[in-house]
Amino acid sequence: RDTSNGILWLGTDFGIQKYDPGTARFAKKILPTSGVVGQFPSVNAVIEDKTDPTGKTWWVCSWVGGLYKWNRKTDEFTSYNHKLKNLELFDIEQDNDGNIWVAGYKGIQIFHPVTGSWKLVDSFIRNDSVSTKVLRLYKDGKGNIWFSQNYDGLFRYDYKTKKISRQFLSSVLQKPDRIWVTGITGDSLGNVWVASAYHSFRIDSSGKISELVLK
C-alpha cells in the first residue's frame, strides 16, 4: 500500500495490478516478457527503493520473470536478470544500508542499487540435495533480516554483527518436525511472528521462541 495516496499495488500471475480506493478501479501493469517458454511469471513482491528520495524507483520480484527496476514516473522497466544466478525468485527486501536482498533458489543475492555491487549469500545452506529455496524475507525494527528456506526453517541476519544464526523453531515442539515457514512479520513490541504449515511461533525481543497453540 502506498501510504501517500492509499493506492494498493497487487502482484498477480501476469503482472502488477493497481487498486485506487478513490476511483474504485483496477489497472493492470504488464511486465516485460521473460523469454521463458511454458511458464508464466508470478509477481511475489514489490518494494519502494529507499535510496531514491524522489520515490520514483521501485523493485519488482517475479518468479520465473526475474528482477526489475520500475521507474513509476516514466513507467519504464529495467531487467536485472543478467546479474542473477537464476530467475527462480520468491521475495525481496531492502536493508538499512540500502542493499536489496533477493530470495531465490540456492541462496540470497544482495546488491546495492547505487554502487552496483553484488554478492551471493549461501553459507547457511547445509543440505542442497533437496533444491534449497529461500522463500521469505522480513526486516525487523532493529534492521535485522529474517529469512526462511523450504527445507531447514528460519534464520536471522544480525544487522550489528553481520552474522547469520539459525533459529531452532522445532526446539519448542513436543515432537521433532521440519518447519516450512510460510510467513514472517513483526509487531511494535519487537516480537517476530512466524507461520508455518502446521505450527505458529512468536520470538520475543530477547530471542525466546514460543509455539502458539490454539485452545
Side-chain angles (χ1 to χ4, degrees):
R1 182 180 295 277
D2 190 330
T3 55
S4 65
N5 53 29
I7 292 177
L8 185 65
W9 296 89
L10 307 171
T12 72
D13 291 345
F14 294 97
I16 304 169
Q17 295 205 39
K18 178 180 73 173
Y19 169 67
D20 187 341
T23 61
R25 294 180 179 179
F26 283 87
K28 181 180 291 186
K29 185 64 59 180
I30 303 297
L31 292 178
T33 178
S34 65
V36 179
V37 178
Q39 299 188 62
F40 54 85
S42 175
V43 174
N44 295 319
V46 182
I47 64 170
E48 182 180 1
D49 190 338
K50 301 303 182 183
T51 65
D52 182 0
T54 68
K56 67 181 181 182
T57 302
W58 291 62
W59 295 91
V60 181
C61 166
S62 173
W63 179 76
V64 177
L67 179 70
Y68 299 90
K69 181 171 70 173
W70 177 24
N71 186 319
R72 286 183 57 185
K73 183 177 181 179
T74 63
D75 202 25
E76 294 177 308
F77 287 92
T78 303
S79 173
Y80 277 68
N81 292 354
H82 62 289
K83 294 284 190 177
L84 299 171
K85 297 292 183 181
N86 62 79
L87 301 183
E88 194 169 356
L89 311 181
F90 300 97
D91 204 0
I92 49 177
E93 183 63 273
Q94 188 168 34
D95 65 24
N96 286 352
D97 294 326
N99 297 297
I100 304 292
W101 291 52
V102 184
Y105 177 55
K106 292 189 176 181
I108 298 172
Q109 295 183 74
I110 303 175
F111 80 100
H112 198 285
V114 176
T115 65
S117 61
W118 285 78
K119 66 178 179 179
L120 173 67
V121 178
D122 59 0
S123 59
F124 58 91
I125 297 177
R126 296 190 301 183
N127 181 357
D128 199 33
S129 63
V130 293
S131 297
T132 299
K133 302 174 183 179
V134 180
L135 301 177
R136 295 289 181 268
L137 295 166
Y138 168 71
K139 183 180 71 173
D140 66 20
K142 296 180 179 179
N144 304 314
I145 302 292
W146 299 74
F147 59 93
S148 66
Q149 65 181 42
N150 59 325
Y151 177 75
D152 211 8
L154 182 69
F155 300 82
R156 187 188 72 162
Y157 169 80
D158 190 291
Y159 178 69
K160 291 184 177 180
T161 65
K162 311 302 182 186
K163 294 183 178 180
I164 296 174
S165 61
R166 188 185 306 273
Q167 307 298 303
F168 294 96
L169 298 175
S170 60
S171 64
V172 299
L173 301 179
Q174 294 183 354
K175 296 187 298 182
D177 196 2
R178 181 167 71 88
I179 306 300
W180 182 302
V181 174
T182 57
I184 313 170
T185 191
D187 61 29
S188 60
L189 299 177
N191 298 305
V192 173
W193 301 82
V194 181
S196 73
Y198 300 102
H199 307 278
S200 297
F201 305 88
R202 182 186 65 191
I203 305 175
D204 66 19
S205 57
S206 68
K208 180 181 178 181
I209 303 173
S210 302
E211 182 188 10
L212 303 180
V213 181
L214 297 178
K215 296 182 180 180

